[in-house]
Amino acid sequence: MNPPGSLAGLDPNLDEHLSTQILAPSVHSDNPQERIQARRLRIAARLEARRREALGEYLDGKKESEEDQSKSYKQKEESRLKLAKLLLCGTELVTNIQVAIDIREIHRRVEEEEIKRQRIEKLENEVKTSQDKFDEITSKWEEGKQKRIPQELWEMLNTQQLHCAGLLEDKNKLISELQQELKTKDDQYVKDLKKQSDDICLLLERMEEQVKNVMKTFREELYNIEKAFEVERQELLASNKKKWERALQAHNAKELEYLTNRMKKVEDYEKQLNRQRIWDCEEYNTIKIKLEQDVQVQQLVLTRVPGWRSTWPTPVNVSCLATTCDILEILEQQLQQRKAIYQLNQEKLEYNLQVLKKRDEESTVIKSQQKRKINRLHDILNNLRSKYAKQIKQFQEENQSLTLDYKRLVLQFKELQKAMRHFALIDDEKFREIWLMNEEEAKDLIARAFDVDRIIHTHHLGLPWTAPDFWFLKNVGPISQQPQKSATQIVEEMLMHTEEEEAEEAASEPESYLDLPKQISEKTTKKILMLLCDESGFLIESKLLSLLLPLEQNECYLLRLDAIFSALGIESEDDLYKLVNFFLKYRAHRLSSSLQIKSCSQASMEKASMEETSMGSELELAEQTEMEGAKEESLVEGEKEEEEETPPSPWDIHPNDVLKILEAFVMGLKKPRDSRAPPRVQKNMRNNSKDSEYWQALTTVIPSSKQNLWDALYTALEKYHIVLTQRAKLLLENSSLEQRNTELQALLQQYLNSKINSELQVPPTQVLRVPTK
Amino acid sequence: MQETVTTSALLDPSHSSVSTQDKSSTGGHTSSTGPQPSKPSITPVSAKSRNPHPGANFHRMRRIIAEDPEWSLAIVPLLTELCIQHIIRNFQNNPILKQMLPEHQQKVLNHLSPDLPLAVTANLIDNENYWLRCCMQRWPVCHVAHHGGSWKRMFFERHLENLLKHFIPGTTDPAVILDLLPLCRNYVRRVHVDQFLPPVQIPAQLRPGDQSDSGSEGEMEEPTVDHYQLGDLVAGLSHLEELDLVYDVKDCGMNFEWNLFLFTYRDCHSLAAAIKACHTLKIFKLTRSKVDDDKARIIIRSLLDHPVLEELDLSHNLIGDRGARGAAKLLNHSRLRVLNLANNQVRAPGAQSLAHALAHNTNLISLNLRLNCIEDEGGQALAHALQTNKCLTTLHLGGNELSEPTATLLSQVLAINTTLTSINLSCNHIGLDGGKQLLEGMSDNKTLLEFDLRLSDVAQESEYLIGQALYANREAARQRALNPSHFMSTITANGPENSVG
């Protein structure tokens, strides 16, 4: 099993790791056993290497390195040593000259010194002797001066002359000696120069030789090293080649072996196949013969008269011959029959052939027709296709343009909406302002009217006046519904409230009912919500839950509920109450179904209402909520009753039911939600139905009865006014008359008192009786 | 107008071939071209008739171009090329280089003449190739390695050296050198002058005296024979590092006169002042200049506490014990690393003072006292100093009349000292016993790499054995150099040794 597989796997890699791959088991082998073995081997090798590293580095390392260090290394070392020696010797040879000159110089110096010393000594001696001689001579001069005898003097002079000459001669001798020495020195100098030039020549020669030598040897050594390397390389190549060839041979041998094996096997199989085939043939033949025999027998049996079969087995021996004759007869008959049938069949077949030929011809005609038709249809199809493509293109273009238009329109629409919103806001604002202005004006007027009324009442009628109290008088600004609170706000409020409630216990219980506009018991609501909160934790995100852990219980509930509401799509107060109601209804329904006593009708009603809620559109929502509110009231009352009957009723809602309820609720809520978008716009529209009513009411601040009163008062007062004016006129008249009277009286008095009167015979005074003043 | 002419000139040579080509081609496909193209080709037409519509007949154009293998756009020089040529031609008057693109710069530099005045080129051109050409043109042999591998530096250094060499005080205008100063101040690092010419009057006066005899020597002392004063030059060169001077006259021939080789006191004083002012100087060499004790002391005094001086070479002079004492003082008042007093007249007292200074010195790496006469007293003193010294690596005591006592002490030093790598005791009288003692000392030493004992009366056997020990040391040092992790100290010791050697 293994060898052929591994061989096949190895074939491509054979060039690279021939020896190792064949000999050692591979880690990448298919066989697990082999892989294990390979790993073991690897570990063992590693351990071995480590051990050797630890132990034998000091001992083996050097030996190995020396052994390993190949010819090239040896050659290198050899060359290096040789060259170093050469350089050393060469420099020594060259510097030898310097050293020799140095020592010669030293010797010369020593000699020179010696000679110098001798010379100086000699000179000093000479100086001394000559000085002595000179002294002698000078002393003799003194002697000579005392000499009187000419002969003596001459003699002495002669001797003096001789002495002087001797002295001079000495000096001259010395001078000549020194000059001689100088000459020899000059010669020496020339010689030295020559010697030095010779030395320099020698030095140069040696240097050149050295350079040449060094270059030569360097070249040689380089050549040698290269050669050594080359040889080593060759050896390496040869050894590697040998190894390679050996491995290749091994591989070839193995392959050959495999091939022979395979061929043998193939031959074996062939033989086996042949044998099998022969055997099969034989078997087949025997079976065939047997079957044929069987068939013959059977035919015999079949051709026989049916009744014969029953009789055949018994008289076989008796009437064997007879039966064979019979059989032959029957066979002949049958042959005849067959022949007739054959004839008939032949004729039939011929006829059929003719018919078929005809049909064939027809069919060929039809085929050609069809072909033509097909061609035509193909043409049409192509035409249609092209048309279709064209149309597609056209429609695409159209579509594009239309989409563009659509986009533009959408943009425009959006802008329009924006503008509309803007205008709506502005309109609202304007409306509000105008409203306020008008309202102010109206209020002013109303106030004036009230003032007037008050004056009339108090001053004219003497009645006490009370300011009428109308609802619309307190209104400021446009009439609008209270904004709906969001569900969470309510919940928050509620929770807060219940908290307080808990603190205040039962004292605040009645108040709590007032807080909820829909008159649902706060407790039940809270409980339902708690239940919801506990049960539908799956609607809350896990992150939020982890965040909620450290919070207070109430806050926790609040946030949870918020999340749940957002998941359920409960947004407004109404939704919340709807939910609560739904719960209650569900419970009631369940209760009714369980109790089945009196709340049967109620339940049906609730069912109806449920259907209504689910079916009802948003437009009806407001009404419905109101209706529901009303219903709920009754419902709550009913509940209360129920509560009384069954005290733990709010807890009746089994936690398992919560999900069902929620599902039902969401299903119910979903439909209205779909049709929510359009009404929302309408929602912004304020209903102005009450406006006219309001303004109408403002006009009727002063009721008609009061107006009638005013009218009557007016007419009466007018009359009163007329009377008063008349009276005033009369008074004026009266006063003027009085004045005239007084004037006249004064005149009279005057006249009476005048002199004329006295002059007169009859004084008027006597005539007249002056009225007393 | 010009263009038409040139094109016609270009086209003309191809006429004959064109016509033949046309014939053959028209024969090949007349249907495509028709009879028209064949007409001009058959008749020898002037260039003008062809030129008005060269592009009109595409085939013909192509054929013309294809026929003339030498015709190509490359023949027409590019405008940039022309500009560059112009710039090269007028570089002396209008040097434009830095504004150009690098490749154009290169082109210009490759074609500039090396004879351009230095005033133009010195501070403008940094290209080594140009200066290489300049150097090659002036001097047949150039060792750029001696000038830090920079051809420009080499050019200026050798140029300056040339000027200094041929400067004759009194006759040559000093401006010749001072004018060069601003041009070369940034490039010259080394001044190497091996001759200083004396003033010219003296040779003129000397000539008759020379012929008469040496009797006139007394007179000739009188006139000043001062040489060129280096003060200004040295002060002007901002990067000067090496000063290598020889107060000498070369090739005097039969005009020889002792006066020519005088290093006067004035020279000495001015030189001392110059080197004292030069704070970048690292190497100072004053050789073969008859420097005696007094002059040496003057110079050494100016070098005391010099900030960077590393090498002082006063070899081949007349310095005696007093000068050596001065040098010893200098050793401990500077950062001197190399001191060369070879071939002077230092004797035992001078060597003793040097040894005294050396005993606690931590800068000096190499000391050369070759061809002096310090004798055993001085040698012993130096050996004692080496017992405490931890810095010196190279010591040359060749030719110093040393003998056995010094060798005994040195053998003790060898056993102790681990910094010395090279000792030279050649040309002494060490003697057989001294050689043995040195061998003993050598057996304990692992650092010495060179030990020269030639011609010092040492037995051949001990010399051979010492050689073996040195060989072992060298191998060890080589191993250490190959594996630098082992001994860092020895490598640092090896480095300077190599540089000195």
Side-chain angles (χ1 to χ4, degrees):
Chain A
M1 287 298 283
N2 205 11
S6 67
L7 187 73
L10 284 175
D11 258 346
N13 295 337
L14 239 132
D15 303 341
E16 292 161 33
H17 322 285
L18 184 89
S19 55
T20 55
Q21 288 262 358
I22 282 187
L23 298 175
S26 160
V27 191
H28 308 289
S29 165
D30 295 331
N31 194 343
Q33 296 278 326
E34 196 180 325
R35 267 179 298 189
I36 290 164
Q37 206 180 342
R39 284 196 197 110
R40 265 183 204 150
L41 276 175
R42 204 166 58 186
I43 291 162
R46 248 181 237 162
L47 284 174
E48 175 70 17
R50 207 169 294 161
R51 196 176 56 79
R52 202 179 291 164
E53 208 174 295
L55 267 175
E57 202 195 7
Y58 305 108
L59 301 173
D60 299 347
K62 265 189 183 173
K63 265 186 204 167
E64 259 176 41
S65 67
E66 260 172 40
E67 278 164 21
D68 284 355
Q69 272 152 10
S70 49
K71 250 182 210 171
S72 63
Y73 182 82
K74 275 180 208 156
Q75 178 65 40
K76 246 162 53 188
E77 202 63 11
E78 215 171 88
S79 308
R80 191 180 63 77
L81 292 179
K82 204 170 162 189
L83 287 172
K85 206 170 177 184
L86 181 77
L87 279 176
L88 203 71
C89 291
T91 39
E92 209 175 315
L93 198 69
V94 174
T95 47
N96 267 345
I97 293 168
Q98 193 204 353
V99 171
I101 290 168
D102 273 6
I103 198 151
R104 212 185 299 144
E105 169 70 13
I106 286 163
H107 285 166
R108 191 194 65 78
R109 275 186 193 180
V110 170
E111 274 168 24
E112 192 77 2
E113 219 162 293
E114 186 59 35
I115 289 165
K116 209 172 171 184
R117 199 176 51 76
Q118 279 176 7
R119 193 187 301 137
I120 285 163
E121 210 172 285
K122 202 173 156 190
L123 281 174
E124 272 171 3
N125 282 342
E126 175 62 35
V127 165
K128 229 180 244 171
T129 52
S130 57
Q131 192 66 39
D132 286 352
K133 275 180 184 170
F134 184 71
D135 284 348
E136 206 181 320
I137 290 164
T138 41
S139 64
K140 272 194 180 162
W141 284 122
E142 290 298 313
E143 260 178 51
K145 277 183 185 170
Q146 289 162 2
K147 296 268 175 160
R148 302 289 175 203
I149 303 153
Q151 280 89 354
E152 274 182 1
L153 191 67
W154 182 73
E155 208 169 290
M156 198 209 67
L157 277 173
N158 268 349
T159 52
Q160 280 293 79
Q161 204 171 6
L162 270 173
H163 279 296
C164 282
L167 192 64
L168 276 174
E169 207 174 314
D170 278 355
K171 290 279 177 196
N172 275 337
K173 208 171 145 194
L174 193 67
I175 285 165
S176 67
E177 261 176 29
L178 285 175
Q179 270 179 345
Q180 193 67 36
E181 223 169 285
L182 190 66
K183 222 167 215 173
T184 53
K185 277 279 158 196
D186 272 349
D187 286 352
Q188 185 88 36
Y189 175 69
V190 172
K191 265 185 207 161
D192 276 353
L193 268 182
K194 214 171 199 176
K195 186 91 177 57
Q196 275 181 3
S197 69
D198 282 355
D199 279 341
I200 286 169
C201 279
L202 189 65
L203 189 69
L204 281 175
E205 212 172 277
R206 277 189 184 178
M207 274 163 80
E208 253 167 48
E209 203 176 327
Q210 169 77 356
V211 167
K212 260 185 214 160
N213 260 336
V214 167
M215 265 167 67
K216 206 173 110 193
T217 41
F218 262 97
R219 225 167 255 155
E220 265 173 24
E221 293 309 318
L222 186 68
Y223 175 72
N224 280 341
I225 290 168
E226 268 182 0
K227 212 166 155 190
F229 268 113
E230 186 69 23
V231 167
E232 202 185 342
R233 190 169 148 269
Q234 291 290 353
E235 273 174 10
L236 263 177
L237 265 177
S239 70
N240 279 346
K241 215 174 205 173
K242 235 180 235 169
K243 231 194 238 168
W244 164 250
E245 268 168 10
R246 223 182 301 137
L248 204 67
Q249 267 179 0
H251 172 242
N252 277 343
K254 249 187 189 170
E255 221 167 49
L256 209 68
E257 196 187 313
Y258 290 146
L259 200 69
T260 48
N261 274 346
R262 200 182 129 83
M263 272 161 80
K264 233 179 242 170
K265 262 184 193 169
V266 166
E267 272 171 18
D268 265 9
Y269 288 144
E270 236 163 51
K271 267 178 197 168
Q272 275 183 9
L273 268 175
N274 269 337
R275 223 182 299 145
Q276 193 73 31
R277 217 174 275 157
I278 289 162
W279 187 76
D280 272 350
C281 263
E282 279 169 5
E283 207 181 39
Y284 171 74
N285 282 339
T286 51
I287 288 169
K288 198 180 170 191
I289 290 161
K290 200 177 153 197
L291 283 174
E292 272 174 359
Q293 279 173 354
D294 281 1
V295 165
Q296 277 177 1
V297 169
Q298 288 237 323
Q299 269 183 348
L300 283 177
V301 169
L302 281 171
T303 47
R304 273 292 175 90
V305 200
W308 186 77
R309 195 195 266 187
S310 55
T311 56
W312 182 45
T314 41
V316 172
N317 291 327
V318 188
S319 57
C320 200
L321 258 172
T323 47
T324 45
C325 280
D326 282 353
I327 287 165
L328 275 174
E329 264 173 41
I330 291 160
L331 278 175
E332 258 172 36
Q333 273 177 8
Q334 273 197 338
L335 192 67
Q336 290 295 331
Q337 270 179 359
R338 294 276 161 198
K339 267 182 183 169
I341 290 165
Y342 171 72
Q343 200 82 17
L344 197 74
N345 277 346
Q346 206 174 9
E347 272 171 21
K348 262 184 192 169
L349 283 172
E350 264 171 15
Y351 174 74
N352 277 346
L353 188 70
Q354 291 296 329
V355 169
L356 282 172
K357 267 181 185 168
K358 269 269 159 67
R359 281 225 181 127
D360 192 37
E361 272 168 27
E362 271 172 31
S363 70
T364 49
V365 170
I366 289 166
K367 224 194 228 167
S368 62
Q369 272 180 352
Q370 292 293 347
K371 261 184 188 167
R372 252 175 276 147
K373 209 176 189 179
I374 281 169
N375 281 339
R376 215 170 49 235
L377 286 173
H378 262 298
D379 284 353
I380 291 164
L381 181 70
N382 283 340
N383 273 342
L384 284 175
R385 261 191 198 147
S386 63
K387 250 185 208 170
Y388 173 67
K390 223 184 267 173
Q391 271 195 338
I392 280 176
K393 217 184 237 173
Q394 202 181 328
F395 283 131
Q396 266 177 351
E397 276 168 19
E398 222 169 291
N399 188 21
Q400 269 185 350
S401 65
L402 284 175
T403 45
L404 280 175
D405 276 1
Y406 169 71
K407 275 177 191 167
R408 198 158 41 81
L409 284 175
V410 163
L411 272 177
Q412 278 180 354
F413 173 67
K414 272 182 187 166
E415 270 171 29
L416 202 67
Q417 263 189 340
K418 214 195 269 177
M420 207 176 76
R421 244 173 272 145
H422 176 69
F423 282 126
L425 275 176
I426 286 171
D427 284 351
D428 264 357
E429 191 63 29
K430 244 181 210 169
F431 174 74
R432 197 179 145 73
E433 275 169 14
I434 289 168
W435 182 286
L436 282 174
M437 189 185 75
N438 285 334
E439 204 175 45
E440 206 175 326
E441 219 169 301
K443 288 256 176 79
D444 247 17
L445 288 171
I446 286 164
R448 267 173 68 191
F450 282 156
D451 269 356
V452 168
D453 195 27
R454 189 167 45 88
I455 288 165
I456 287 168
H457 270 263
T458 47
H459 289 221
H460 294 277
L461 302 178
L463 295 169
W465 185 81
T466 50
D469 188 23
F470 296 111
W471 61 270
F472 46 81
L473 287 179
K474 279 157 196 155
N475 186 34
V476 176
I479 295 163
S480 58
Q481 287 97 338
Q482 252 188 338
Q484 284 193 325
K485 289 176 193 170
S486 72
T488 45
Q489 268 175 318
I490 287 168
V491 172
E492 194 180 351
E493 266 174 38
M494 199 182 69
L495 284 171
M496 293 293 287
H497 205 84
T498 44
E499 221 171 44
E500 284 166 27
E501 205 174 82
E502 275 166 20
E504 292 168 25
E505 287 297 316
S508 60
E509 216 170 322
E511 284 175 7
S512 67
Y513 283 94
L514 297 174
D515 200 55
L516 286 169
K518 305 300 190 229
Q519 301 303 317
I520 300 167
S521 121
E522 198 161 318
K523 263 192 178 171
T524 45
T525 318
K526 196 195 165 187
K527 266 156 200 164
I528 286 165
L529 288 179
M530 291 290 198
L531 200 65
L532 187 69
C533 190
D534 289 337
E535 275 312 303
S536 51
F538 61 91
L539 290 170
I540 308 164
E541 281 181 55
S542 54
K543 262 188 200 172
L544 190 66
L545 277 175
S546 64
L547 284 172
L548 284 173
L549 276 176
L551 286 173
E552 249 181 273
Q553 206 191 4
N554 261 343
E555 275 179 63
C556 181
Y557 271 121
L558 182 62
L559 287 170
R560 275 172 159 206
L561 280 175
D562 187 27
I564 291 165
F565 286 166
S566 65
L568 288 176
I570 293 171
E571 284 165 357
S572 68
E573 200 178 352
D574 291 345
D575 288 345
L576 176 63
Y577 289 122
K578 240 190 274 172
L579 179 71
V580 173
N581 287 336
F582 201 83
F583 268 86
L584 291 175
K585 269 178 236 161
Y586 183 86
R587 192 187 44 116
H589 174 65
R590 219 180 58 88
L591 263 177
S592 66
S593 61
S594 64
L595 290 171
Q596 280 188 349
I597 312 169
K598 57 179 175 181
S599 56
C600 193
S601 61
Q602 214 173 342
S604 65
M605 243 180 76
E606 277 160 17
K607 265 187 186 170
S609 71
M610 261 175 71
E611 280 167 6
E612 271 179 23
T613 47
S614 60
M615 297 296 283
S617 68
E618 181 63 28
L619 286 170
E620 296 167 349
L621 242 168
E623 294 173 347
Q624 209 170 329
T625 45
E626 277 172 38
M627 273 170 66
E628 272 172 4
K631 273 180 205 166
E632 274 151 22
E633 264 179 82
S634 62
L635 217 154
V636 168
E637 279 161 29
E639 262 167 37
K640 273 177 200 163
E641 289 168 12
E642 279 168 15
E643 254 176 82
E644 281 159 18
E645 284 167 12
T646 53
S649 64
W651 292 268
D652 253 13
I653 301 171
H654 196 268
N656 289 349
D657 293 335
V658 171
L659 289 184
K660 284 179 200 166
I661 303 169
L662 271 182
E663 199 180 348
F665 175 75
V666 172
M667 290 297 280
L669 201 67
K670 212 162 73 181
K671 274 174 194 168
R673 188 132 302 152
D674 294 337
S675 57
R676 182 152 256 191
R680 199 171 265 178
V681 186
Q682 287 179 352
K683 221 178 183 177
N684 290 337
M685 296 286 288
R686 55 184 306 287
N687 59 336
N688 43 9
S689 56
K690 273 193 177 175
D691 291 1
S692 55
E693 198 182 316
Y694 173 67
W695 290 112
Q696 208 67 46
L698 279 184
T699 56
T700 56
V701 157
I702 308 295
S704 54
S705 60
K706 202 165 261 184
Q707 276 180 3
N708 286 342
L709 177 73
W710 281 10
D711 284 342
L713 192 65
Y714 180 69
T715 46
L717 281 176
E718 217 144 66
K719 274 178 197 165
Y720 180 55
H721 183 248
I722 291 165
V723 171
L724 282 179
T725 45
Q726 276 177 353
R727 199 170 154 223
K729 257 183 216 165
L730 288 176
L731 279 172
L732 270 177
E733 220 171 305
N734 196 21
S735 61
S736 66
L737 286 174
E738 262 176 20
Q739 205 176 346
R740 258 161 76 182
N741 194 24
T742 51
E743 275 172 15
L744 287 172
Q745 269 179 348
L747 274 175
L748 190 65
Q749 206 67 40
Q750 205 181 337
Y751 286 137
L752 286 176
N753 295 343
S754 63
K755 285 161 197 175
I756 298 167
N757 279 352
S758 51
E759 286 165 9
L760 286 172
Q761 281 100 15
V762 178
T765 37
Q766 284 158 3
V767 179
L768 283 175
R769 224 182 9 182
V770 179
T772 56
K773 283 174 191 176
Chain B
M1 291 302 284
Q2 191 102 33
E3 273 187 356
T4 56
V5 172
T6 51
T7 45
S8 70
L10 281 171
L11 294 173
D12 266 335
S14 59
H15 258 252
S16 56
S17 58
V18 167
S19 60
T20 53
Q21 182 69 22
D22 269 5
K23 269 178 197 168
S24 61
S25 68
T26 47
H29 40 98
T30 39
S31 59
S32 61
T33 50
Q36 270 192 332
S38 65
K39 261 185 199 170
S41 63
I42 290 161
T43 52
V45 209
S46 71
K48 271 187 186 175
S49 69
R50 286 166 163 271
N51 273 335
H53 44 264
N57 197 331
F58 177 69
H59 290 277
R60 199 194 298 156
M61 269 300 284
R62 199 177 62 177
R63 249 178 250 134
I64 287 162
I65 291 164
E67 275 309 306
D68 191 349
E70 269 147 50
W71 193 91
S72 85
L73 269 177
I75 291 169
V76 182
L78 296 168
L79 184 59
T80 51
E81 201 65 33
L82 292 172
C83 291
I84 286 168
Q85 290 296 334
H86 193 75
I87 286 169
I88 290 167
R89 237 174 285 131
N90 296 304
F91 200 81
Q92 188 170 346
N93 303 322
N94 187 16
I96 302 166
L97 187 68
K98 298 286 180 205
Q99 298 93 318
M100 283 189 285
L101 295 173
E103 63 259 34
H104 297 158
Q105 274 188 26
Q106 201 58 42
K107 227 173 237 175
V108 169
L109 287 170
N110 283 340
H111 290 93
L112 275 184
S113 147
D115 299 325
L116 287 170
L118 282 176
V120 176
T121 56
N123 287 318
L124 186 68
I125 298 174
D126 291 325
N127 187 287
E128 284 291 295
N129 231 1
Y130 173 76
W131 294 110
L132 166 72
R133 281 193 291 128
C134 291
C135 289
M136 287 311 217
Q137 195 203 25
R138 274 188 70 167
W139 302 291
V141 181
C142 299
H143 285 290
V144 76
H146 291 178
H147 304 270
S150 161
W151 289 99
K152 189 172 186 180
R153 187 182 144 193
M154 175 178 173
F155 180 84
F156 280 105
E157 279 172 4
R158 290 191 72 167
H159 185 63
L160 186 66
E161 181 190 331
N162 236 22
L163 286 180
L164 284 174
K165 253 185 187 174
H166 299 105
F167 186 89
I168 302 167
T171 45
T172 319
D173 186 8
V176 171
I177 289 171
L178 293 180
D179 282 350
L180 186 67
L181 199 55
L183 305 178
C184 68
R185 57 183 302 161
N186 290 323
Y187 313 111
V188 174
R189 291 169 189 278
R190 173 172 180 262
V191 174
H192 167 78
V193 187
D194 56 2
Q195 89 167 354
F196 278 96
L197 291 177
V200 79
Q201 297 100 319
I202 290 149
Q205 282 178 343
L206 274 177
R207 227 160 256 159
D210 192 29
Q211 282 154 1
S212 65
D213 208 354
S214 56
S216 56
E217 263 181 12
E219 287 173 33
M220 292 306 126
E221 295 285 348
E222 297 296 314
T224 52
V225 283
D226 300 331
H227 303 89
Y228 177 68
Q229 310 289 314
L230 281 167
D232 294 336
L233 181 69
V234 170
L237 296 171
S238 50
H239 296 293
L240 192 68
E241 283 173 4
E242 185 177 348
L243 204 53
D244 188 353
L245 307 174
V246 179
Y247 281 82
D248 197 357
V249 178
K250 282 189 168 178
D251 301 326
C252 58
M254 290 311 285
N255 296 333
F256 174 82
E257 190 54 53
W258 286 110
N259 274 344
L260 294 177
F261 302 94
L262 266 186
F263 178 50
T264 64
Y265 275 101
R266 267 193 74 188
D267 285 338
C268 183
H269 277 294
S270 73
L271 184 63
I275 56 177
K276 189 169 190 174
C278 182
H279 291 299
T280 52
L281 197 67
K282 281 187 182 162
I283 301 170
F284 179 63
K285 292 183 180 175
L286 181 62
T287 54
R288 287 186 282 147
S289 303
K290 293 191 176 180
V291 179
D292 56 18
D293 276 343
D294 294 330
K295 287 167 189 164
R297 286 177 77 88
I298 288 165
I299 283 166
I300 285 168
R301 202 184 304 139
S302 72
L303 286 174
L304 282 178
D305 296 321
H306 194 278
V308 289
L309 192 75
E310 285 181 353
E311 186 176 343
L312 179 63
D313 187 351
L314 293 172
S315 54
H316 308 291
N317 280 312
L318 302 172
I319 298 167
D321 290 334
R322 285 172 60 224
R325 212 154 49 229
K329 193 181 174 190
L330 180 68
L331 279 188
N332 286 331
H333 283 89
S334 69
R335 303 150 148 256
L336 213 59
R337 291 163 70 83
V338 180
L339 179 61
N340 192 349
L341 290 175
N343 197 9
N344 278 299
Q345 293 170 356
V346 180
R347 284 167 193 279
Q352 277 166 347
S353 55
L354 276 174
H356 183 71
L358 198 62
H360 299 291
N361 187 285
T362 53
N363 288 322
L364 200 69
I365 285 169
S366 168
L367 178 63
N368 192 343
L369 287 174
R370 186 169 76 95
L371 280 178
N372 280 296
C373 194
I374 63 170
E375 299 187 320
D376 275 332
E377 279 177 51
Q380 278 168 332
L382 279 171
H384 276 300
L386 283 178
Q387 283 178 338
T388 54
N389 184 289
K390 298 281 175 227
C391 190
L392 199 71
T393 59
T394 312
L395 180 63
H396 199 313
L397 291 176
N400 267 310
E401 307 276 351
L402 303 176
S403 58
E404 203 183 319
T406 316
T408 324
L409 273 174
L410 261 179
S411 70
Q412 291 170 13
V413 169
L414 284 180
I416 300 165
N417 195 303
T418 54
T419 51
L420 274 173
T421 57
S422 168
I423 297 177
N424 195 332
L425 286 179
S426 58
C427 312
N428 284 307
H429 313 295
I430 304 295
L432 298 177
D433 292 339
K436 276 173 192 162
Q437 275 167 341
L438 283 176
L439 179 60
E440 273 172 32
M442 200 55 219
S443 62
D444 294 331
N445 189 295
K446 297 288 170 215
T447 52
L448 203 64
L449 305 179
E450 286 173 28
F451 196 6
D452 199 339
L453 283 172
R454 279 175 291 181
L455 295 179
S456 50
D457 306 337
V458 178
Q460 255 189 345
E461 189 191 347
S462 42
E463 202 174 340
Y464 174 73
L465 289 173
I466 287 171
Q468 291 293 315
L470 289 173
Y471 175 73
N473 284 355
R474 270 198 290 271
E475 284 299 302
R478 187 174 157 273
Q479 287 299 327
R480 260 174 273 145
L482 286 177
N483 315 328
S485 56
H486 289 288
F487 291 100
M488 289 304 287
S489 57
T490 49
I491 291 159
T492 50
N494 278 352
E497 185 266 322
N498 287 338
S499 69
V500 167

